[in-house]
């Protein structure tokens, strides 16, 4: 049996090695788009749909 420590730093290092820069940029852009829509539009319909999306994605917001 081998003991292996799996720390957050190990996971970040693994992600840096496995995620291509273009993929990271796409993820960042998606996050910016969601933030823009949520913070600047604040339309009730857009806000509620994004709120439900966040819950469906497993993000706890309250």
């Amino acid at each position: 049996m081998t003991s292996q420590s799996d720390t957050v730093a190990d996971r970040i290092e693994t992600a840096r090695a496995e995620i291509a820069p273009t993929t990271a940029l796409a993820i960042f852009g998606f996050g910016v788009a969601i933030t823009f829509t949520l913070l600047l539009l604040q339309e009730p319909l857009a806000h509620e749909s994004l709120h439900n999306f966040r819950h469906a994605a497993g993000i706890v917001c309250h």
Side-chain angles (χ1 to χ4, degrees):
M1 175 185 265
T2 61
S3 66
Q4 179 183 355
S5 62
D6 188 22
T7 64
V8 173
D10 292 337
R11 291 181 182 189
I12 291 172
E13 194 60 37
T14 301
R16 283 184 181 155
E18 293 182 1
I19 295 178
T22 53
T23 304
L25 185 61
I27 292 169
F28 179 73
F30 182 70
V32 167
I34 286 178
T35 301
F36 173 80
T37 303
L38 181 61
L39 294 178
L40 296 179
L41 288 181
Q42 284 297 313
E43 295 284 337
L45 183 61
H47 178 81
E48 286 299 317
S49 66
L50 283 172
H51 183 84
N52 293 337
F53 172 77
R54 286 194 315 262
H55 280 290
I59 300 169
V60 178
C61 54
H62 53 81

